[in-house]
Amino acid sequence: MVLDELWAALSGASGAALACCLVAAAVALRWSSRRPARGAAARARRRQQAALETMDKAAQRFRLQNPDLDSEALLALPLPQLVQKLHSGELSPEAALFTYVGKAWEVNKGINCVTTYLADCETQLSQAPRRGLLYGVPVSLKECFSYKGQDSTLGLSLNESMPAECDSVLVQVLKLQGAVPFVHTNIPQSMFSYDCSNPLFGQTLNPWKSSKSPGGSSGGEGALIGAGGSPLGLGTDIGGSIRIPSAFCGICGLKPTANRLSKSGLKGCVYGQVAVQLSAGPMARDVESLALCLRALLCEDMFRLDPTVPPLPFKEEVYKSSRPLRVGYYETDNYTMPTPAMKRAVLETKQSLEAAGHTLVPFLPSNIPHALETLSTGGLFSDGGHSFLQNFKGDFVDPCLGDLISILKMPSWLKGLLAFLLKPLLPRVAAFLNSMKPRSAGKLWELQHEIEVYRNSVIAQWRALDLDVLLTPMLGPALDLNAPGKATAAISYTVLYNCLDFPAGVVPVTTVTTEDEAQMEHYKGYYGDIWDNMLQKAVKKSVGLPVAVQCVALPWQEELCLRFMREVEQLMTPEKRPS
């Protein structure tokens, strides 16, 4: 009786009013819960704007005091020549720093790649040791590299107004080598994306075309260096995060073996995950600059500051060698169909290498789908995404993350049910869902052992063919903004070498032609699923955009990887700078 009366009351006008009140209360509660996130975003934007104004004033002040300096000539210098002129005294560190500060400020207006100005770089000038290999060189840093007194937010509101207490080890080593870190650059929220946008600092754009993504997660670095606003930068890579933005922005980048360079002092949003490891590495306009950076970082100072890094100095004789190489190659991984430009880039590079006297041998690592769907995804999300999700409490979720947060929030049973239902239609999506379920410690150990076994099996394959290095396609050209989060499988060409922990670098070798664009109309992908369809749409209208190849070596052979990259670069010389 009482229930009947209550139902009658609720079904009338008063019920509609009550429903509206409940909806309004829910909206108000949600709005209120995100008030701290809104405050963090407002503060971050104000600080960013203030930092950019300081940059502009510093650059203008220097220009007024040095009206005869040819800034365009300085900016055009390759890094080795810039270093030579700085060491000889022909150029002053002040000239290099403030010229690049001005250029970074200028390009940032169009692409939004700088999050803050590291203003103490001006005092760092007087302290830079002249003997350092990078004396006077301005260096940009991905925002996750801790810098004393500065936030490393990762685009998350909980990290805003949490300045670092000290420099990360690599920043310390850069300073000891005479380098002058001068800006932090933008990242996608949480860094688990190969796009570059977050609620604190907004969207970074590709310097070649503003409707395209610069890649990620080192997207701010790729964009700034690609636009000529920095001669050298440091990024990180756990699935392609150095290589993808380097390829999208037409520059070079190297992902070393995970522990070749120190990661001490790097900010992250998940700690303790070691199945698929993060690497720190350099990004620059050319391979010689990457080698110079690695040469400088692999020094006694780094080995002293971080004794967990193997004390392996740069092997000059390997990098400088000119002996013919035995090169494995593949045109496709049979998981992500290469775009016409990707395939052409590999084939043209193969032909040039053969003409130069190198031996090219067909080679494809075994069982790539298992490595991607089970080993890599399972390793990254072995706790079901629980640790990762803690970073988003009360925060906005950036569109660049696609459906990742929604999927991770699903209970394990629902992920399993969806995987079962989707398997006949979308087998790749189903496999990823299955691997995102939490697992026990015992199952995690099994997974880590599987990764070891897989790595050894690929090394055995490699050894059986007596290969020196490997040439592979590299994802490209740049995807449309916000498309990367909906084309997850396309990282297959890069994340494989995080799973294997092989050093890998990218070199731009060509640009998209009208013929490539026309052929893309017939692109279907191997699976014809939502990821293939998104990739097909997202790389349209790309004529003139850069396309790279990937160069790979066995673990701890960064110098051989760089030597191969240099060989490719010398044989394939596309336009390196956006018009």
Side-chain angles (χ1 to χ4, degrees), residues 4-81:
D4 288 343
E5 288 176 6
L6 182 61
W7 176 250
L10 287 175
S11 60
S14 57
L18 178 61
C20 288
C21 288
L22 290 171
V23 170
V27 170
L29 190 64
R30 187 175 178 84
W31 188 89
S32 175
S33 70
R34 288 187 172 167
R35 186 180 294 166
R38 275 191 295 276
R43 288 191 299 273
R45 295 289 176 98
R46 283 198 298 271
R47 267 203 297 271
Q48 181 189 32
Q49 195 54 46
L52 290 166
E53 287 171 8
T54 304
M55 284 176 76
D56 186 30
K57 286 174 184 173
Q60 285 192 42
R61 186 171 62 244
F62 182 79
R63 277 196 294 269
L64 287 171
Q65 294 167 352
N66 300 269
D68 297 329
L69 179 70
D70 187 345
S71 59
E72 290 304 313
L74 190 156
L75 292 167
L77 288 172
L79 182 57
Q81 287 182 34

Side-chain angles (χ1 to χ4, degrees), residues 194-483:
Y194 67 100
D195 205 344
C196 192
S197 176
N198 65 73
L200 299 188
F201 302 111
Q203 175 80 61
T204 298
L205 308 178
N206 190 300
W208 292 74
K209 190 171 184 178
S210 60
S211 63
K212 298 292 182 178
S213 170
S217 59
S218 310
E221 278 303 309
L224 181 63
I225 298 167
S230 171
L232 178 65
L234 289 185
T236 61
D237 189 312
I238 199 170
S241 290
I242 286 172
R243 290 161 289 163
I244 292 172
S246 295
F248 283 12
C249 296
I251 64 170
C252 299
L254 176 72
K255 177 206 81 72
T257 310
N259 209 33
R260 188 76 196 264
L261 294 177
S262 174
K263 293 175 280 187
S264 178
L266 287 186
K267 189 72 171 278
C269 60
V270 176
Y271 296 100
Q273 188 284 111
V274 296
V276 181
Q277 293 205 44
L278 179 80
S279 297
M283 300 167 71
R285 288 179 222 159
D286 52 62
V287 177
E288 193 60 49
S289 300
L290 303 180
L292 176 58
C293 183
L294 212 62
R295 200 179 282 124
L297 293 174
L298 294 172
C299 65
E300 289 303 320
D301 287 318
M302 185 178 73
F303 307 141
R304 171 179 56 81
L305 290 165
D306 187 354
T308 67
V309 173
L312 300 172
F314 191 82
K315 296 188 279 286
E316 205 66 55
E317 69 282 0
V318 175
Y319 179 63
K320 291 284 174 66
S321 169
S322 58
R323 72 174 178 83
L325 295 169
R326 189 170 168 84
V327 183
Y329 77 96
Y330 54 91
E331 298 171 31
T332 175
D333 63 4
N334 296 317
Y335 194 80
T336 300
M337 181 181 284
T339 64
M342 285 169 67
K343 188 171 182 179
R344 181 174 57 78
V346 169
L347 292 175
E348 288 179 1
T349 304
K350 169 189 175 283
Q351 289 163 6
S352 295
L353 286 165
E354 286 175 327
H358 303 285
T359 303
L360 277 288
V361 182
F363 174 85
L364 185 67
S366 62
N367 215 353
I368 289 175
H370 179 68
L372 303 174
E373 296 167 352
T374 302
L375 305 184
S376 300
T377 309
L380 289 167
F381 296 106
S382 277
D383 69 344
H386 175 77
S387 301
F388 180 71
L389 290 173
Q390 301 310 302
N391 296 277
F392 289 85
K393 285 185 175 177
D395 207 347
F396 298 97
V397 176
D398 196 271
C400 80
L401 293 174
D403 298 322
L404 177 62
I405 302 301
S406 301
I407 290 168
L408 291 176
K409 282 183 175 178
M410 291 177 186
S412 182
W413 67 265
L414 183 55
K415 289 175 190 169
L417 177 61
L418 274 177
F420 174 76
L421 295 173
L422 290 174
K423 191 172 182 180
L425 295 172
L426 301 169
R428 293 197 297 184
V429 177
F432 273 75
L433 277 169
N434 249 330
S435 292
M436 287 177 162
K437 293 188 294 184
R439 63 193 73 216
S440 66
K443 291 293 182 184
L444 175 58
W445 292 347
E446 283 178 21
L447 181 79
Q448 290 171 336
H449 178 60
E450 270 193 79
I451 291 172
E452 287 176 18
V453 170
Y454 179 67
R455 184 178 298 137
N456 289 333
S457 73
V458 174
I459 291 172
Q461 258 189 290
W462 184 299
R463 294 286 195 214
L465 291 175
D466 195 27
L467 301 179
D468 292 309
V469 287
L470 177 63
L471 173 71
T472 89
M474 179 62 211
L475 179 63
L479 276 64
D480 290 339
L481 294 170
N482 284 327

Side-chain angles (χ1 to χ4, degrees), residues 115-190:
T115 60
T116 198
Y117 177 47
L118 307 174
D120 73 338
C121 63
E122 298 178 30
T123 55
Q124 174 67 19
L125 281 172
S126 59
Q127 300 165 8
R130 282 193 77 101
R131 62 175 176 77
L133 291 180
L134 296 173
Y135 172 66
V137 174
V139 178
S140 49
L141 303 171
K142 185 178 183 177
E143 202 233 25
C144 62
F145 284 87
S146 296
Y147 195 95
K148 186 177 181 180
Q150 299 291 342
D151 291 346
S152 286
T153 67
L154 314 185
L156 296 158
S157 64
L158 86 166
N159 294 327
E160 191 272 332
S161 297
M162 300 282 284
E165 294 180 4
C166 61
D167 293 343
S168 61
V169 164
L170 286 186
V171 170
Q172 293 179 57
V173 177
L174 282 173
K175 289 180 177 179
L176 289 166
Q177 285 285 18
V180 186
F182 74 113
V183 287
H184 260 159
T185 56
N186 206 21
I187 36 68
Q189 188 181 29
S190 80

